[in-house]
């Protein structure tokens, strides 16, 4: 990951524009982990029932689906 | 201490809770031309106790010749039993659960209480009796339909009904019993030539814990690993299987079932670990039960068949009641 402690509250996900010739910049989302807000680079979004998840690779190397802070 | 609630519905014994007036019955009159047949089976199979294997033999090559066993509408038993154990509802070594609710509707050739479905719980801390028989007991009311249940229903009980052959009975129990295990059994009183079909719902609670989410066969897959059983408990739902910590459960499951799909819910981190699974295979009702939970993929499925088998069995053991039909 992915994440660093930003200490602030979640806001709207950033959506930097993709630059031609460069790999697409991943969308960043703030999630609450271990009592802190951290930024994660999101690989995608998945919906399960009434919940939306963001997908990313966590610090432990596992593919992770976190409830989206919408 | 938070508690989790488990609901187990049994709808595989001929009737189903979502059918208000199932007409299920079997014919046990030996003078009837359709003796041994079962009709209007809603789901699964009724049970028929028929010991005469001379007239209706069980041939290993051709199968059971008893009519309903032959056509697949009943499970035939060829020996009588006082109390017939059908399945283990849950077994939590080293942990306690609290039985809270038990509802049973049965159709049978016997008048109550002979056809009642029993829940056998092992009470804690009592040592005698060894088994707690919730039914029958002189202080419980046993009623035949129609019956009015003012607590469980907002109006007079469903639609009172009768069946073509046999009796309809309902039992409802609500209370609190501490127990570490519970078994679904039927009191048959050693009678022969009897049949019954039923559906029942059991509600219980257990201390919030990490869970092993894998549907297991209690007799074939559970007992052989008795030395490891304290890593997590058994529940017929395949979901409500508490252990002491998620790491131990993951370690044991990796050792025992490396080629199957399973999940482990860590109730402290609120993470559902998936093995041979992806979120695509996690049913919405499970997400709702464990919410809020994130998911981590320990290992993606080697092939879709393994993951699908886990999902199918989990859905089968946790049959969701179909949504009620909307009124005009």
């Amino acid at each position: 990951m992915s994440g660093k402690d930003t200490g602030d509250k979640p806001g709207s996900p950033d959506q930097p524009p993709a630059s031609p010739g460069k790999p697409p910049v991943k969308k960043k989302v703030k999630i609450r982990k271990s009592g802190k807000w951290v930024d994660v680079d999101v690989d995608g979004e998945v919906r399960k029932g009434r919940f939306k998840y963001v997908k990313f690779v966590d610090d432990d190397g596992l593919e992770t689906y976190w409830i989206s802070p919408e | 201490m938070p508690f989790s609630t488990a609901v187990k519905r049994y709808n595989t014994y001929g009737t189903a809770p979502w059918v208000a007036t199932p007409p299920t019955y079997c014919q046990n009159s030996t003078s009837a031309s359709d003796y041994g047949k079962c009709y209007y089976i809603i789901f699964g199979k009724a049970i028929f106790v028929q010991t005469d294997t001379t007239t209706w033999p069980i041939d290993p090559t051709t199968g059971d010749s008893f009519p309903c066993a032959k056509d697949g509408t009943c499970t035939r038993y060829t020996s009588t039993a006082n109390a017939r154990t059908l399945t283990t509802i849950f077994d939590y070594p080293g942990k306690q659960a609290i039985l809270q609710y038990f509802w049973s509707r049965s159709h049978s050739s016997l008048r109550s209480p002979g056809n009642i479905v029993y829940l056998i719980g092992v009470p804690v801390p009592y040592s005698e009796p060894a088994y707690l028989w919730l039914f029958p007991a002189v202080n419980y009311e046993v009623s035949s339909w129609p019956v009015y249940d003012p607590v469980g229903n907002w109006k007079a009980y469903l639609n009172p009904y009768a069946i073509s052959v046999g009796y309809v009975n309902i039992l409802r129990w609500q209370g609190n019993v501490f127990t570490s295990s519970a078994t679904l059994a039927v009191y048959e009183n050693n009678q022969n030539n009897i049949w019954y079909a039923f559906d029942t719902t059991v509600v219980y609670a257990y201390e919030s814990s990490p869970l092993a989410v894998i549907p297991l066969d209690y007799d074939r897959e559970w007992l052989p690993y008795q030395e490891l059983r304290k890593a997590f408990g058994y529940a017929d739902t395949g979901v409500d299987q508490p252990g002491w910590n998620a790491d131990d459960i993951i370690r044991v499951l990796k050792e025992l079932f490396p080629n199957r799909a399973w999940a482990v819910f860590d109730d402290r981190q609120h993470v559902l670990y998936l093995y041979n699974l992806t979120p695509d295979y996690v049913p919405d009702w499970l997400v709702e039960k464990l919410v809020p939970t994130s998911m981590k993929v320990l290992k993606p499925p080697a092939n879709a068949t393994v993951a699908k088998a886990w999902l199918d069995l989990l859905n089968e053991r946790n049959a969701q009641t179909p949504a009620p039909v909307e009124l005009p």
Side-chain angles (χ1 to χ4, degrees):
Chain A
M1 138 168 149
S2 88
K4 61 173 184 174
D5 182 7
T6 60
D8 53 3
K9 293 180 181 177
S12 299
D14 301 326
Q15 190 77 58
S19 305
K22 293 183 179 178
V25 178
K26 290 183 177 178
K27 182 177 172 181
K28 283 188 184 298
V29 168
K30 291 187 194 327
I31 66 168
R32 189 80 173 164
K33 272 188 66 178
S34 305
K36 297 174 181 175
W37 290 105
V38 295
D39 281 333
V40 294
D41 296 329
V42 173
D43 296 322
E45 291 181 338
V46 176
R47 183 163 284 283
K48 290 293 295 177
R50 62 188 166 109
F51 300 103
K52 193 166 80 177
Y53 288 86
V54 290
K55 176 184 171 185
F56 61 93
V57 177
D58 206 352
D59 297 332
D60 51 16
L62 296 177
E63 189 176 288
T64 300
Y65 297 78
W66 209 269
I67 295 179
S68 177
E70 54 183 348
Chain B
M1 176 61 69
F3 281 80
S4 301
T5 297
V7 178
K8 178 61 188 176
R9 290 190 184 92
Y10 290 96
N11 51 27
T12 54
Y13 295 97
T15 61
W18 56 79
V19 181
T21 57
T24 306
Y25 73 92
C26 302
Q27 179 59 263
N28 73 329
S29 170
T30 51
S31 58
S33 60
D34 61 346
Y35 174 68
K37 297 279 282 184
C38 290
Y39 299 96
Y40 307 113
I41 299 294
I42 303 298
F43 207 88
K45 296 179 180 182
I47 290 174
F48 212 120
V49 179
Q50 220 296 338
T51 61
D52 182 1
T53 53
T54 302
T55 311
W56 293 277
I58 299 174
D59 188 319
T61 55
T62 58
D64 194 333
S65 64
F66 194 64
C68 61
K70 193 174 182 179
D71 67 18
T73 55
C74 79
T75 300
R76 178 203 187 187
Y77 289 99
T78 56
S79 59
T80 59
N82 184 38
R84 190 178 304 281
T85 297
L86 297 176
T87 189
T88 297
I89 301 167
F90 62 83
D91 184 3
Y92 297 158
K95 279 184 175 286
Q96 280 192 359
I98 306 172
L99 289 177
Q100 295 180 310
Y101 178 82
F102 175 53
W103 187 93
S104 165
R105 169 178 57 185
S106 56
H107 296 184
S108 175
S109 55
L110 299 172
R111 270 189 187 281
S112 62
N115 65 335
I116 296 169
V117 180
Y118 297 92
L119 188 70
I120 304 176
V122 183
V124 177
Y126 308 112
S127 57
E128 291 289 339
Y131 293 91
L132 176 69
W133 292 74
L134 297 180
F135 303 104
V138 290
N139 54 328
Y140 291 115
E141 183 181 350
V142 178
S143 304
S144 292
W145 294 60
V147 61
Y148 176 65
D149 184 344
V151 178
N153 295 269
W154 302 109
K155 59 183 182 179
Y157 209 74
L158 299 176
N159 300 310
Y161 69 97
I163 52 177
S164 303
V165 172
Y167 304 92
V168 180
N169 290 281
I170 184 166
L171 281 172
R172 182 178 178 278
W173 175 86
Q174 193 160 5
N176 285 291
V177 176
F178 284 88
T179 180
S180 60
S181 68
T183 302
L184 189 70
V186 177
Y187 177 57
E188 294 181 2
N189 197 23
N190 290 311
Q191 296 194 62
N192 184 29
N193 195 33
I194 59 171
W195 63 268
Y196 49 87
F198 67 91
D199 56 80
T200 188
T201 298
V202 181
V203 179
Y204 60 97
Y206 56 91
E207 183 182 326
S208 177
S209 309
L211 303 176
V213 185
I214 175 173
L216 293 171
D217 184 317
Y218 184 84
D219 294 320
R220 293 174 54 206
E221 293 179 318
W222 189 244
L223 292 177
Y225 304 108
Q226 196 163 3
E227 73 278 9
L228 297 170
R229 285 171 57 187
K230 287 189 177 178
F232 59 92
Y234 169 88
D236 210 11
T237 60
V239 176
D240 306 284
Q241 303 182 133
W244 293 108
N245 68 72
D247 289 344
D248 279 352
I249 297 175
I250 289 173
R251 198 175 304 122
V252 167
L253 287 176
K254 274 184 177 172
E255 184 180 332
L256 296 183
F257 303 108
N259 300 318
R260 281 179 63 173
W262 41 263
V264 172
F265 175 63
D266 184 336
D267 70 319
R268 296 192 177 183
Q269 302 298 326
H270 292 280
V271 174
L272 183 67
Y273 291 94
L274 306 177
Y275 184 89
N276 269 333
L277 291 169
T278 62
D280 293 340
Y281 294 96
V282 179
D284 287 354
W285 61 260
L286 182 60
V287 172
E288 294 284 349
K289 178 180 171 68
L290 301 178
V291 72
T293 183
S294 297
M295 291 178 271
K296 282 177 180 282
V297 180
L298 293 172
K299 181 175 179 287
N303 63 68
T305 311
V306 172
K308 185 75 166 38
W310 176 85
L311 174 60
D312 289 346
L313 204 49
L314 214 54
N315 278 332
E316 184 184 316
R317 298 211 186 176
N318 297 273
Q320 305 297 299
T321 303
V325 177
E326 282 188 28
L327 297 173

